[in-house]
Amino acid sequence: MKRELKSTKFGKYGGQFVPEVLMPALEELTEQYERYKDDSVFNEELNYYLKDFAGRPSPLYHAKRLSKEYGVKIYLKREDLVHGGAHKLNNTLGQALLARYMGKKRIIAETGAGQHGTACAMAGAAFGIKTEVYMGAKDTVRQRMNVYRMELMGTKVIPVKGGSQTLKDAINEAMRDWVANVETTHYLIGSVVGPHPFPTIVRDFQSVIGKEVRTQIMEKEGRFPDSIVACTGGGSNAMGIFHPFIEDDVDLFAVEAGGSGMKVTDKEALHSATLCTGEDGVLHGMRTKVLQNKYGQILESSSIAAGLDYAGVGPELAYLADIGRLKPCNSMDAEALEAFNDLCIFEGIIPALESSHAVAYVKKVAASGELGDIVVINLSGRGDKDLETVMGMRK
Amino acid sequence: MRISEKFSELKKKKEGALIAYICAGDPTPSATKEYVTALVRGGADIIELGLPFSDPTADGPTIQAGIERSLNGGMTPDIYFRTVASLKMHIPLVVMTYYNIIFKRGHEKFVKDCAASGISGIIVPDLPPEESGDLAGFCRKNDVDLIFLVAPTTTDERLKRILAEAKGFIYLVARLGVTGARSDVASSTRELIQRVKTTTPKAVGFGISSGKQAAEIICAGADGVIVGSAFVDIIASGKDVPARLEVLARELKEAISLG
């Protein structure tokens, strides 16, 4: 599984499908990342920020009442307690610091739910780097508090009015900006997606999640869990917790958004279950599984959770699914809402709707024994940002 | 007609090549033939006909909007190739599309469809040479030119590799950024034209909209200009489209005819 950074692919997935303008920037990024990833000064500074700014390590919490309710021993990896309320800051601190070491003056990013954008705003402010975030116009409405949070921290939020006005279009627009400003700007991709080396860089910076779980679960249980469950849109929290366990006898479950059903038309899917139902394609600089029609036009995906609402998925996840190392599965909007309620009632934790998909899958299959005796759920974010959505659904 | 034949014909006449882009099917599949005919009447030497993709990351707002109109008008790759076959042009036709459209159709089928419908070149803005091996193989077998792009950021080392594989013409990206009409010629454009030394014809695109700009680019040493957004703007207006396409094509062509 160890892979040279020089290879741009995970099996047949990944690669660099970008305009020529960007190729030199990707080469530069690969070189610079290679240079700094094991550099002691870089890592010391990053670890300082992860600990004293982000609040790491995040706890691994034995959710006793939920365990009893669902009939399996459940640990929650509390990424919701990381500064900003999600795992996203792990990656933005890493990449923003890398951008600073590379001498870039400006950071741009895309955001879906606004979590990544918020985490960029935090890192940008902490390191004093000018930050601009592209966000689908539809998402700026359904996540307006996150827009305001970003603005409070000095980040400019640019609503994207093209296409479906969601994450996919925000990525398109951020790529256009990068093409125009590549010499001064770092594109801080928020998930394990995009052209090489981004899927590797983001995975590495997020792997702090899984590394901590390894230590924490040994302290608590004296052994590894039987399974790890994580929600998957682009797949950054999933790869972050999965990657350190790839070589171990631990089952990995990537839970996608089943939306309101598996129905697909020529233009849209009612879900975002890319690993479950997508086909090979090329989107946003990478070859991966993609929701597309028979001509290769990308479908508009759908989910109650903006952070899962994406027609592509990280190429390494597509590869791991192909070789059978992880199991792609999904939870519907309604199931995620139920799990959201369960976590509120039984544990006093308000989870992000994204993370609720992972919890919902555990609820659905725990009784079957598929997950074994001990399961770790990556609770990738907190749900404060989703309160309006949930209130709307309950009406 | 092969692209190389066209360029050598123009060289003899001391004319720069006008490569005119519009998106097929914008705003309806049936409009394309009339618009292409108007461009050719105005003096276009090569037609670059867009095959729309839902997520055109290399294009600016003008061409994005054209692509959206085309998709909403029902354009598909099947209709595209039927439309192209019906054009029966005596000048080279080049398809411009994004890689997923080709990937989904299958490299071999896509290239064969190009050859059968009279397309002599393929431009794929999101396919750098590193990833182009499969497509390039089928292009060679079917006498279709795979056209590569060179940008101001392209390093000398990459440039050497790209020039070694270049077919048809080299597409010089005039400036950093996406497609879209602008009014000036950047000094980086001149530098790029000077830097790219090759016997393959050089055509410059991104941001060219006027005869004055086009003339400056040909004077700087390019063999052709690629104009897209300025034509797509005319289509977007919906007013008097064929006549105005012809007028703009004529203005551009006259500006680059030095002979």
Side-chain angles (χ1 to χ4, degrees), chain B residues 70-94:
Chain B
S70 166
L71 287 172
N72 291 337
M75 182 49 80
T76 69
D78 293 337
I79 298 174
Y80 179 92
F81 286 115
R82 279 206 298 276
T83 305
V84 170
S86 76
L87 290 176
K88 307 213 188 308
M89 290 289 145
H90 302 290
I91 60 169
L93 273 166
V94 173

Side-chain angles (χ1 to χ4, degrees), chain A residues 16 21 176 279 282 296-298, chain B residues 54 56 59 100 104 131 153:
Chain A
Q16 296 176 312
V21 179
R176 290 183 187 113
E279 293 167 359
V282 173
Q297 309 295 358
I298 309 304
Chain B
S54 54
D59 284 301
N100 198 49
K104 187 71 183 163
E131 307 284 0
T153 50

